[in-house]
């Protein structure tokens, strides 16, 4: 009750001060005759009035917080009645005094205007914000967290004489790690119960920093369902910091777009509770991506705070500069984020503060030092505010119970005021993370699931939902989209997606991915039914139709796998909407297939129809579509498919050869022994327009790049070695085994040639594991696609695919978040997204290895090594936590691709990076007539365990090829020049195609579309972005990453649609809003 009386007494005193000040002002004005004197006094009193108005607003927030206590379960009934009566009276007084305040202030301004009229001048008017409403709990709506909570003016003074220690109460919350999520959530609830009690009861407990993420609030509120308004009230009172992240992510394993949505969703959730803390707090990430400064700046965040990644000689404050030139101030927690956890439990002696000052001062550039009171899963000292309030401090030392926003604002102000020159750190921050980097390959099945779900959500579900909204009457399902993103984001904390956690956490991560697949597949199904029928009407095609959709900004001509429902036969033919007959090859006819329909109105109905799979060469423009008419000719392909062979690598002439021996005629041969020559010279040879491939006796491949005639041997040599490490770090044990050494056996099946592709299977046994390796060369492809399958029945080992580097002078470039980054050619394990490029610096040729969900590479022993799997038995880091699920036992399948290239002027790395993107972002097929509530099997949807349904004698599952290469390497000759018109079946075309499309979605706040792309290279690019006439574009705005408008762009129109031209600076992220 003493707290309540003090608050009410303070408010009454404040109101008396306001009334007394204005009474004095009016009395003084009556007796002032000289105009100059009046001007001086008016200015002074206006400044005083502004301060008093701020004080009124602050007291109103305290009154709202007091109001919240009326509903507290800790307040008895009589106290509630008394408090409610006092508050009702106070509200009425406040209303009256505020009205009088505004009248008096209006009189002051009117008098000053009259005086200025006499001089012939009139000052600029400044509109005052409306007084906040205070009706019950609804009073919190519309109220914002204060910009500052400390006495900033006092702390800015005398910084040459005083050092200020900022004590910040916080916790670092890994929501799952060595204990499962629900166990840690129970501890979180207890921790936040204590913190919210301190905020409510202790006026000296000024602030709590909730780890820069919003998910702890959601996790807490799911248990304490009545508590959301507590966070809202504490936030607007400046007592707690919320956001800006939704979760603390692993930056290298989350996609670029997932990092954007992490910030966007975290800020959205924090804004619902009064506003976000715009501090780039990333304390414990396993290194930081180079583009983080640009990403943070895109949300108006000017700082980053972390305890990892930067060298100590940069000090505790430095500039962190991204590859595009964006800068944020980097606060380095050099003594970690628990350097204030050792505060004495009772009285804090003066020498404690003196010791902390001497520990931190040598690395600090300003007079403001940071003490973090908290750590992993620990609550801050509940008495820290009282200890500071009653403490004795050394001379010239100030100690405040602070918050991160005010601390950084004071640091920034002192740097600016004193013109302090900070060191500049550029690029990735991965210093001293070597003991953590092998989390990149730990639990590889979850890395693959993450890759699949990011593609499904970013490239299929969300764009199709946006297209359906833009072209049809379908309502955009923003809520389900965000629910899907939330499921993905909940798997992106580093202890979750890195797999360095308990087996219960592994189970929960798998479950979230499974749920996400169901949600995103349902979104894709529902939107595709609308999109397929809407787009099909723009392209004429009779009979059974297949619509193909290209999710990239790369024009594509390639062979894809189509899963279709209807009456199948032994052969299939297809015709494009232009009338052109396209190349097809029947792969598998499954016969009758039972299914059912779920109509929007009416009862479910079973149905039975045929199901077959075939390969088809398609041509699709940038973010475009094409419709193909499919029919069963009833005629089988000429000859036996096993007897087809390409002549002159053109796939146009087909000749017969002697039948190859069957698999039963061949036995595994000991490696190193002389292989018997076979009747057909091309039995281990594949060739198309761009590549010549020979399978070697050790099961690896030699690839000749036909344009440059460069030969690459040692492609895909498998290596197995013991791993005595843990989930964080690989530790080699024993000697490595490679395919082909003594003791391994290899059986190479004959190559099978088809009009659409050639394929060969290698069966091998090495170090106790049976492997099946499939090499696939598709018509027109610039890639050799590879699939390695095996049953992992071993413990504590690592398997890698090695690619020999046949040149000495090299540079390595890896696909990373919003860029292709150049790294050194030495060192340990490194992160990659979709591909890694090894460049010959002498002739600018080389090769690229693309991957699907394999994020670890290393240069070692003259090879580029891609980690396929790593089996371990414990968590590591601290303690002893055995984990059987980290062994990754059972069936495994990994897909990757080898892409040689030569130098092409104006095309980075010969366009091999574009091939790597296509290998990852595959074309979607839709069957308008047959989609009645479920998605047919697609390249992404079929799980590895279902692959037995496909005949590897005929085709490799789930692959696609690129178009024919010409000397310009410009997307197979399909890419349009800047001035050329847009293809009629292209919705958006971003030129040149090495600019990478990141998202196509509906805007968060407005009825418009968002297109985001980026320039991955260190070169400025002249670009054009074309929009289809189907979109009916009105205006195009350049917006920041947070989708806030910056400039309206000039647009040009023609009969094909609308386009804008711009220069894209190096490594720049561009976000456009398309107003329809």
């Amino acid at each position: 009750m003493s707290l309540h009386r003090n608050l009410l007494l303070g408010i009454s005193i404040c109101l008396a001060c306001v009334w007394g000040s204005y009474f004095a002002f009016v009395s003084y004005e009556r007796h002032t005759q000289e105009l100059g004197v009046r001007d001086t006094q008016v200015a002074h009193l206006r400044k005083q009035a502004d301060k008093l108005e701020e004080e009124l607003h602050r007291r109103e927030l305290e009154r709202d917080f007091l109001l919240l206590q009326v509903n507290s379960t800790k307040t008895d009934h009589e106290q509630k009645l008394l408090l409610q009566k006092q508050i009702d009276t106070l509200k009425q007084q406040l209303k009256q005094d505020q009205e009088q305040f505004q009248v008096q202030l209006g009189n002051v301004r009117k008098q000053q205007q009259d005086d200025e009229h006499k001089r012939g001048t009139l000052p600029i008017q400044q509109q005052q914000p409306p007084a906040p409403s205070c009706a019950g709990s609804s009073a919190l709506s519309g109220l914002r967290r204060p910009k500052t909570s400390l006495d900033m003016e006092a702390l800015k003074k005398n910084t040459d004489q005083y050092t200020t220690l900022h004590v910040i109460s916080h916790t670092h919350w890994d929501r799952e790690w060595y204990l499962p999520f629900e166990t840690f959530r129970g501890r979180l609830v207890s921790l936040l119960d204590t913190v919210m009690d301190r905020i409510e009861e202790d006026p000296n407990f000024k602030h709590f920093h909730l780890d820069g993420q919003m998910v702890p609030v959601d996790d807490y509120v799911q248990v304490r369902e009545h508590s959301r308004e507590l966070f809202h009230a504490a936030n607007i009172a400046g007592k707690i910091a919320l956001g800006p992240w939704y979760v603390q992510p692993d930056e290298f394993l989350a996609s670029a777009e997932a990092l954007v949505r992490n910030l966007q969703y975290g800020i959205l959730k924090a804004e619902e509770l009064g506003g976000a803390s715009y501090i780039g707090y990333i304390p414990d990430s396993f290194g930081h991506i180079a583009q983080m400064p640009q990403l943070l700046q895109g949300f108006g965040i000017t700082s980053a705070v972390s305890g990892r990644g930067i060298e100590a000689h940069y000090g505790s404050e430095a500039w962190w500069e991204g590859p595009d030139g964006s800068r944020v101030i980097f606060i380095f927690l050099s003594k970690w984020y628990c350097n204030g956890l050792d505060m004495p439990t009772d009285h804090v002696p003066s020498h404690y503060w003196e010791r902390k000052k001497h520990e931190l001062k040598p690395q600090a550039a300003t007079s403001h030092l940071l003490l973090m009171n908290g750590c992993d899963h620990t609550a801050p000292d509940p008495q820290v505010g009282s200890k500071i309030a009653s403490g004795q401090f050394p001379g010239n030392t100030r100690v405040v119970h602070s918050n991160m926003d005010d601390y950084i604002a004071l640091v920034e102000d002192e740097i600016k005021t004193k013109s302090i020159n900070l060191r500049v750190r550029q690029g990735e921050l991965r210093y001293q993370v070597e003991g953590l980097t092998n989390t990149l390959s730990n639990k590889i099945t979850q890395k693959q699931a993450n890759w699949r779900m990011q593609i499904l959500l970013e490239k299929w579900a969300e764009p199709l939902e946006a297209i359906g909204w833009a072209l049809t009457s379908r309502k955009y399902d923003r809520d389900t989209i965000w629910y899907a993103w939330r499921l993905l984001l909940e798997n992106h904390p580093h202890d979750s997606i890195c797999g360095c956690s308990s087996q219960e956490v592994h189970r929960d991560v798998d479950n979230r991915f499974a749920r996400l697949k169901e949600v995103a597949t349902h979104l894709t199904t529902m939107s595709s039914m609308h999109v397929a029928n809407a787009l099909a009407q723009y392209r004429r095609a009779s009979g059974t139709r297949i619509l193909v959709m290209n999710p990239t900004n790369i024009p594509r001509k390639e062979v894809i796998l189509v899963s279709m429902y209807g009456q199948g036969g032994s052969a299939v033919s297809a015709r494009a909407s232009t009338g052109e007959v396209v190349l097809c090859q029947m792969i598998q006819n499954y016969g009758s297939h039972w299914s059912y329909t779920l109509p929007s109105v009416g009862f479910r109905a079973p149905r039975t129809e045929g199901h077959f799979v075939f390969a088809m060469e398609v041509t699709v423009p940038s973010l475009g579509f094409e419709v193909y008419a499919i029919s069963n000719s009833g005629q089988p392909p000429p000859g036996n498919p096993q007897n087809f062979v390409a002549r002159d690598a053109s796939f146009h002439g087909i000749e017969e050869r002697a039948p190859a021996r069957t698999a039963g005629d061949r036995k595994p041969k000991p490696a190193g022994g002389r292989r018997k020559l076979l009747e057909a010279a091309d039995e281990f040879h594949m060739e198309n327009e761009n590549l010549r491939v020979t399978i070697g006796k050790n099961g690896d491949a030699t690839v000749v790049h036909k344009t440059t005639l460069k030969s690459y041997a040692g492609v895909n040599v498998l290596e197995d070695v013991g791993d005595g490490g843990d989930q964080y770090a690989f530790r080699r044990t024993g000697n490595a085994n490679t395919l082909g050494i003594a003791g391994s056996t290899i059986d190479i099946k004959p190559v099978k040639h088809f009009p659409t592709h050639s394929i060969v299977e290698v069966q091998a046994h090495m170090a106790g594991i049976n492997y099946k390796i499939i090499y696939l060369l598709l018509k027109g492809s610039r890639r050799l696609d590879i699939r390695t399958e095996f049953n992992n029945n071993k413990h504590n080992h690592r398997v890698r695919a090695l690619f020999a580097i046949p040149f000495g002078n090299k540079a390595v470039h890896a696909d990373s978040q919003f860029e292709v980054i150049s790294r050194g050619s030495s060192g340990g394990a490194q992160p990659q997204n979709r591909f890694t490029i090894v460049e010959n610096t002498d002739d600018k040729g080389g090769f690229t290895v693309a991957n699907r969900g394999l994020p670890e590479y290393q240069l070692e022993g003259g090879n580029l090594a891609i980690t396929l799997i790593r089996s371990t038995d414990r968590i590591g880091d601290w303690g002893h936590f055995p984990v059987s699920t980290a062994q990754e036992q059972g069936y495994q399948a990994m897909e990757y691709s080898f892409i040689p290239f030569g130098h092409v002027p104006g095309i980075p790395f010969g366009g091999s990076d574009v091939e790597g993107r296509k290998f990852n972002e595959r074309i979607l097929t839709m069957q308008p007539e047959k989609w009645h509530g479920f998605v047919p099997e697609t390249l992404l949807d079929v799980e590895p365990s279902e692959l037995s349904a496909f005949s590897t004698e005929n085709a490799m599952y789930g692959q696609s090829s690129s178009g024919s290469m010409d000397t310009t390497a410009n997307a197979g000759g399909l890419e349009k020049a800047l001035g050329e018109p847009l293809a009629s079946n292209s919705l958006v075309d971003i030129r040149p195609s090495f600019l990478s499309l990141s998202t196509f979605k509906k805007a968060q706040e407005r009825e418009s579309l968002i297109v985001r792309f980026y320039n991955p290279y260190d070169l400025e690019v002249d670009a054009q972005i074309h929009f289809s006439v189907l979109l009916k574009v009105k205006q195009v705005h350049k917006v920041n990453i947070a989708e806030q408008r910056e400039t309206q762009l000039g647009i040009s129109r023609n009969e094909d649609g609308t386009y804008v031209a711009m220069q894209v600076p190096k490594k720049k992220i561009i976000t456009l809003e398309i107003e329809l």
Side-chain angles (χ1 to χ4, degrees), residues 45 58 90 136 157 234 312 370 410 414 437 450 479 722 739 749 781 799 812 907-908 983:
L45 290 172
R58 190 177 70 83
L90 182 60
K157 295 178 180 178
L370 192 58
L410 288 166
E414 188 169 333
T437 53
N450 184 55
D479 292 338
L739 208 55
K749 304 295 182 181
S781 179
V799 178
V812 181
I907 306 294

Side-chain angles (χ1 to χ4, degrees), residues 124-176:
I124 297 174
Q125 299 296 309
Q126 182 176 356
Q127 185 176 358
Q128 294 297 311
S133 172
C134 304
S137 61
S138 63
L140 302 180
S141 61
L143 295 180
R144 304 280 303 166
R145 68 191 305 266
K147 291 183 178 180
T148 60
S149 298
L150 299 178
D151 188 344
M152 302 293 281
E153 293 303 318
L155 292 173
K156 290 178 182 179
K157 295 178 180 178
N158 302 319
T159 56
D160 291 329
Q161 290 79 35
Y162 283 91
T163 297
T164 303
L165 289 168
H166 294 258
V167 181
I168 295 183
S169 297
H170 82 108
T171 187
H172 174 56
W173 202 260
D174 301 300
R175 80 193 288 260
E176 53 191 11

Side-chain angles (χ1 to χ4, degrees), residues 8-238:
L8 292 172
L9 179 61
I11 293 172
S12 301
I13 293 172
C14 175
L15 293 173
C17 291
V18 173
W19 177 251
S21 297
Y22 277 93
F23 181 82
F25 166 73
V26 173
S27 300
Y28 185 86
E29 189 179 43
R30 291 197 189 108
H31 297 89
T32 302
Q33 302 297 324
E34 295 296 329
L35 190 60
V37 175
R38 177 183 296 155
D39 287 344
T40 301
Q41 296 300 328
V42 166
H44 171 74
L45 290 172
R46 285 191 68 203
K47 184 176 181 180
Q48 184 179 6
D50 289 341
K51 288 185 177 180
L52 290 170
E53 188 174 30
E54 291 179 3
E55 181 67 14
L56 267 178
H57 180 63
R58 190 177 70 83
R59 289 295 185 178
E60 286 168 349
L61 293 179
E62 293 181 358
R63 184 236 16 238
D64 293 337
F65 197 70
L66 181 63
L67 180 64
L68 196 63
Q69 297 181 27
V70 174
N71 298 320
S72 172
T73 56
K74 298 184 179 181
T75 307
D76 61 34
H77 181 66
E78 291 184 2
Q79 288 177 322
K80 287 183 178 181
L81 291 177
L82 178 60
L83 283 171
Q84 188 62 57
K85 184 176 180 180
Q86 291 173 330
I87 288 172
D88 290 342
T89 302
L90 182 60
K91 285 164 59 177
Q92 185 64 33
Q93 292 174 349
L94 275 174
K95 182 178 180 181
Q96 294 173 357
D97 290 336
Q98 284 173 337
E99 290 175 353
Q100 291 178 329
F101 178 88
Q102 294 298 328
V103 169
Q104 296 294 337
L105 188 59
N107 291 336
V108 172
R109 289 175 176 153
K110 184 176 185 303
Q111 185 62 57
Q112 189 176 30
Q113 288 179 16
D114 292 342
D115 293 342
E116 294 295 341
H117 274 302
K118 292 177 183 179
R119 291 192 178 100
T121 62
L122 188 65
I124 297 174
Q125 299 296 309
Q126 182 176 356
Q127 185 176 358
Q128 294 297 311
S133 172
C134 304
S137 61
S138 63
L140 302 180
S141 61
L143 295 180
R144 304 280 303 166
R145 68 191 305 266
K147 291 183 178 180
T148 60
S149 298
L150 299 178
D151 188 344
M152 302 293 281
E153 293 303 318
L155 292 173
K156 290 178 182 179
K157 295 178 180 178
N158 302 319
T159 56
D160 291 329
Q161 290 79 35
Y162 283 91
T163 297
T164 303
L165 289 168
H166 294 258
V167 181
I168 295 183
S169 297
H170 82 108
T171 187
H172 174 56
W173 202 260
D174 301 300
R175 80 193 288 260
E176 53 191 11
W177 183 15
Y178 54 90
L179 294 176
F181 164 65
E182 290 296 351
T183 303
F184 271 135
R185 171 150 66 176
R187 296 179 63 84
L188 173 71
V189 170
S190 297
L191 184 150
L192 288 179
D193 282 346
T194 301
V195 168
M196 299 311 287
D197 285 346
R198 300 311 297 167
I199 288 175
E200 183 178 353
E201 297 169 359
D202 185 358
N204 291 320
F205 193 90
K206 301 295 185 182
H207 190 81
F208 179 68
H209 184 77
L210 192 48
D211 204 33
Q213 54 178 332
M214 279 299 296
V215 74
V217 177
D218 281 356
D219 291 342
Y220 179 83
V221 170
Q222 285 178 357
V223 177
R224 301 275 192 258
E225 295 182 355
H226 58 279
S227 63
R228 184 169 292 274
E229 288 183 357
L230 288 173
F231 289 96
H232 196 168
N235 193 24
I236 64 176

Side-chain angles (χ1 to χ4, degrees), residues 3 6 34 41 274-275 286 288 310 336 367 444 506 526 546 575 602 604-605 715 720 757 921 967 995 1024 1063 1070:
L3 172 64
N6 290 339
E34 295 296 329
Q41 296 300 328
F286 299 169
H288 306 291
I310 197 170
W336 207 230
S367 65
I444 200 68
H506 294 165
M526 303 310 293
I546 286 290
R575 189 181 298 271
R604 64 181 182 267
V715 171
D720 188 332
H757 63 281
E921 300 166 15
T967 55
L995 298 174
Q1024 285 184 351
Q1063 281 193 328
I1070 303 294

